[in-house]
Amino acid sequence: MATNAARVNDPSTIRRLYGRRAGHKLRQGQAQLIEELLPQIEVPDGPLSSEDLFGDRRPLHFEIGFGSGEHLGYRADLLPDHGFIGAEPFLNGVVGALTHVREKALGNVRLHMGDALEVLERLPDASLRFVYLLHPDPWPKARHAKRRMMNHGPLDLIAAKLAPGGEFRFSTDHPIYCRWAMMIMHQRSDFRWIAESARDMLERPGGWPETRYEAKARRLGHEVWYFRYQRV
């Protein structure tokens, strides 16, 4: 676990969401999803648990910044008896996730449009089976490193909420962020890197779908790196 000094000025203390919140204007059907479906599956206020969110005890997964919801929707459809929580500040991304929920009739998804860390804090410790952080904004300039989600403050929180043996998955197509993440994770003793060879970080694990963002990155000639860490 990182010291308090290492947490200063990272996302867990700054608590500011950077970047735009909306893109193109929503079409009528998309606006209807926000107005009608989102309130039905939105993460409620107050303390959270599997029972609060899904009415029973089940393994919980949490995705930080789910983009258009492709990975979230795929995993939720693959594991219908598990519960999936996704947090995303971008309005059009939330619309994308809602579209997957509607088209696949996913009853095991709850969404939060806003800060993922605020929701994580309200979950019981050791309550999560998986946490996903896929292709986060790399903030490549050195002066913006404090904005990266791969910092000790957020990782302290993720570690607290993951059950022993739980898994944290991270991916990026940005070489600066890849090196940064490896450096940060190397400093931690509460996660074990699940890798047996260098190929493990270059090949997408089973049950991990390719998203449109990842496909675009590959078309642009970017390498993609995959990381799996077990909570110890």
Side-chain angles (χ1 to χ4, degrees), residues 104-204:
K104 297 180 179 181
L106 300 174
N108 59 335
V109 173
R110 299 294 180 266
L111 301 179
H112 174 73
M113 188 164 62
D115 181 14
L117 300 181
E118 184 271 327
V119 179
L120 271 175
E121 285 179 334
R122 294 191 281 124
L123 287 163
D125 287 352
S127 63
L128 297 176
R129 181 77 59 86
F130 283 86
V131 174
Y132 310 99
L133 177 64
L134 310 183
H135 296 280
D137 194 319
W139 295 109
K141 295 181 180 180
R143 69 176 184 272
H144 292 153
K146 62 188 178 183
R147 300 181 183 180
R148 296 171 188 157
M149 193 60 68
M150 287 294 276
N151 267 299
H152 287 300
L155 287 167
D156 285 350
L157 185 57
I158 291 170
K161 302 307 175 180
L162 269 173
E167 189 171 321
F168 171 49
R169 293 186 176 184
F170 164 74
S171 64
T172 184
D173 63 310
H174 200 288
I176 291 177
Y177 207 166
C178 181
R179 290 193 295 269
W180 172 271
M182 292 179 72
M183 177 191 72
I184 292 293
M185 294 304 290
H186 183 69
Q187 297 170 4
R188 304 190 65 90
S189 60
D190 46 5
F191 289 97
R192 180 180 69 85
W193 189 4
I194 306 173
E196 296 180 357
S197 71
R199 295 299 308 170
D200 289 337
M201 62 185 291
L202 297 173
E203 298 177 353
R204 189 185 320 105

Side-chain angles (χ1 to χ4, degrees), residues 32-70:
Q32 190 172 10
L33 286 173
I34 293 292
E35 294 171 2
E36 298 180 4
L37 181 55
L38 180 58
Q40 298 176 35
I41 63 171
E42 197 166 20
V43 173
D45 295 332
L48 301 172
S49 68
S50 174
E51 290 87 345
D52 296 323
L53 294 167
F54 301 103
D56 56 23
R57 297 189 65 181
R58 61 176 65 194
L60 293 180
H61 302 231
F62 194 103
E63 185 160 352
I64 300 171
F66 52 72
S68 295
E70 296 150 294

